[in-house]
Amino acid sequence: MSANWFLALPVPTEAWYPESIPEPPPNVRLIRAENLHLTVAFLGGVDEIAAQNAWQKNQGFKTGPLEIQLQSIESFGNPKRPALAATLGKGKEAIENAITACRDDILAAAECPAENRPARAHITLARPRRKSSPEELREAMAWADRVDLSEVCIPLTEIALYTWSKDEKGFLYKLVERRPLKL
């Protein structure tokens, strides 16, 4: 399997994660703190040259450093194996507008198809295990509904190019390139 590549905003975790998250049900695993990010453009299994071409287009992501405020945890993706992700309040519109303005150019630079879904700024925090029963998925969603993140504010200051990596603890994203956010 080839490594996936993506451009994302690294999410600092020192002041809030995982301390602000109550213990999830047994079938739900929290994402490792060093893996938290807000995706700008998912490139998929492209080669490194294509990923670097996409990285060169990241100047189109036009927002300076900003503070975001989290809201609630919602289900994203496949309902049978959803990502449980923090949604944004403050900062949401600015990030989604910036993603919309540059994502297709970034994808085209890597020879990826354009994205047909609207930008939805979110930070994946947890995932149910692959073979969760319907009851376990309901428990996971009930847990997510109880999590209040409305007091969590996070500064976003960089955009980065990531790929997959593996270490002794399991799956990890590897930050390959980074630059400060600027208008």
Side-chain angles (χ1 to χ4, degrees):
M1 176 165 61
S2 63
N4 283 328
W5 292 83
F6 58 94
L7 278 73
L9 307 176
V11 174
T13 59
E14 299 82 21
W16 70 279
Y17 187 84
E19 296 81 16
S20 296
I21 310 293
E23 186 69 28
N27 70 309
V28 174
R29 70 172 174 84
L30 292 177
I31 303 299
R32 291 169 57 175
E34 62 268 33
N35 283 346
L36 292 190
H37 63 275
L38 193 156
T39 301
V40 172
F42 182 76
L43 308 175
V46 301
D47 63 28
E48 186 170 358
I49 293 169
Q52 287 293 338
N53 289 340
W55 175 248
Q56 298 309 313
K57 288 290 186 182
N58 79 64
Q59 299 296 330
F61 187 83
K62 300 267 191 212
T63 181
L66 73 156
E67 184 174 83
I68 59 170
Q69 183 173 18
L70 301 184
Q71 285 189 316
S72 58
I73 296 180
E74 295 181 13
S75 171
F76 280 71
N78 183 339
K80 292 183 180 180
R81 188 162 189 279
L84 301 175
T87 59
L88 277 57
K90 177 182 167 188
K92 176 182 184 256
E93 186 176 348
I95 289 173
E96 289 179 353
N97 288 342
I99 291 171
T100 300
C102 72
R103 183 174 56 188
D104 286 345
D105 289 340
I106 290 170
L107 293 170
E111 298 183 8
C112 297
E115 179 61 69
N116 58 7
R117 297 173 294 182
R120 285 187 68 201
H122 65 282
I123 302 164
T124 299
L125 300 177
R127 289 191 182 275
R129 68 179 167 79
R130 288 193 188 275
K131 297 188 187 234
S132 292
S133 69
E135 178 59 31
E136 288 173 320
L137 289 175
R138 282 191 292 279
E139 288 173 15
M141 293 312 302
W143 166 81
D145 287 343
R146 291 189 303 270
V147 178
D148 179 10
L149 298 174
S150 62
E151 299 298 316
V152 177
C153 293
I154 305 166
L156 298 179
T157 60
E158 298 178 302
I159 186 168
L161 174 65
Y162 289 87
T163 190
W164 284 357
S165 181
K166 196 152 176 69
D167 70 2
E168 69 281 354
K169 296 178 192 169
F171 183 65
L172 182 69
Y173 298 123
K174 177 181 169 189
L175 196 148
V176 178
E177 302 266 355
R178 63 179 3 141
R179 75 158 175 88
L181 291 176
K182 57 187 175 190
L183 290 175

